[in-house]
Amino acid sequence: MPDYLAQRLNMVESQVRVNDVTDARVQEAMRNVPRERFVPTARKATAYADSPLEVVRGRFLLEPRAFAKLLQLAEIKPTDKVLDVGSATGYSTAILARIAAKVTGLEQDADLVRIGVETLPTVGASNAVMVQGGLAEGHKAGAPYDVIFVNGAIETRPDALLGQLAEGGRLVAVVKSGASGHATVFLKERGQIGRRAAFDADAPVLPGFREKVGFVF
């Protein structure tokens, strides 16, 4: 039987800590949430691999390194309310629940929402819920949010999500332009949105965030 605990601890030591993730809360959360519970049986052997993990066709859990660095970039406070966009099976929501006060996982795939709803209570995420809806539209019913965490890449400006940020709120995502991607934090100050690219990163583009390709003449 695989020693998932050993794999989890090794993930934090070899993929997270060595890549300048110094936030002890992020490290501790990733040590304690069993990632394998959020992964299909056929893929459990690669639950802790250093690459995006496909849970259903076209939908992924972020690779641990990029995920941890994005969490740190968001500077999540223990009192924050968080919207977790593209939560897939709920792994990211479970991690966020150990760092923030309240978390809403947003997922458009009904089967993934069901898995998240069933699994979150088993890992102690009592301050988290899963809801179904379009990812690019966000979840207005719970707004405003202190942090919006986007589990993947975006090619277009996420205006609907940015409109759901509280004053001082942060949105983090991988912004892709062509083949290059940059982990970016958007900050709402005095009603205005600023942005800062923090580090190079790559991630699968989430549904609803692809740039529309026009006609070429």
Side-chain angles (χ1 to χ4, degrees), residues 15 18 62 95-97 120 135 166 182 189 199 214:
Q15 299 179 50
V18 298
L62 290 177
I95 294 288
L96 285 161
L120 286 172
L135 306 185
H182 302 280
E189 291 183 304
F199 55 89

Side-chain angles (χ1 to χ4, degrees), residues 1-15 27-49 53 61 64 91 123:
M1 184 175 180
D3 187 344
Y4 291 120
L5 175 58
Q7 292 181 35
R8 188 156 64 249
L9 298 179
N10 182 63
M11 172 192 70
V12 174
E13 293 303 314
S14 65
Q15 299 179 50
Q27 295 179 17
E28 188 68 12
M30 294 184 72
R31 285 192 192 98
N32 285 285
V33 174
R35 186 174 166 100
E36 74 276 3
R37 293 194 193 176
F38 297 89
V39 174
T41 301
R43 294 184 172 91
K44 286 187 185 296
T46 58
Y48 294 94
L53 196 155
L61 302 187
Y91 172 71
V123 298

Side-chain angles (χ1 to χ4, degrees), residues 28-155:
E28 188 68 12
M30 294 184 72
R31 285 192 192 98
N32 285 285
V33 174
R35 186 174 166 100
E36 74 276 3
R37 293 194 193 176
F38 297 89
V39 174
T41 301
R43 294 184 172 91
K44 286 187 185 296
T46 58
Y48 294 94
D50 58 349
S51 60
L53 196 155
E54 192 171 42
V55 290
V56 296
R57 186 174 181 179
R59 297 304 310 282
F60 299 81
L61 302 187
L62 290 177
E63 62 155 309
R65 169 190 171 275
F67 176 59
K69 287 177 74 70
L70 281 170
L71 285 173
Q72 181 165 269
L73 181 62
E75 297 183 346
I76 301 166
K77 303 178 183 69
T79 55
D80 280 346
K81 181 167 69 170
V82 180
L83 178 65
D84 183 27
V85 177
S87 52
T89 54
Y91 172 71
S92 55
T93 305
I95 294 288
L96 285 161
R98 288 179 173 258
I99 302 171
K102 183 178 180 180
V103 185
T104 299
L106 175 64
E107 177 51 56
Q108 67 181 28
D109 185 299
D111 289 334
L112 294 180
V113 172
R114 177 183 54 77
I115 293 169
V117 167
E118 293 175 353
T119 309
L120 286 172
T122 71
V123 298
S126 59
N127 58 332
V129 296
M130 292 276 291
V131 297
Q132 185 178 1
L135 306 185
E137 287 74 41
H139 185 60
K140 289 183 180 179
Y145 303 97
D146 302 299
V147 172
I148 297 179
F149 186 88
V150 181
N151 271 283
I154 61 176
E155 296 177 339

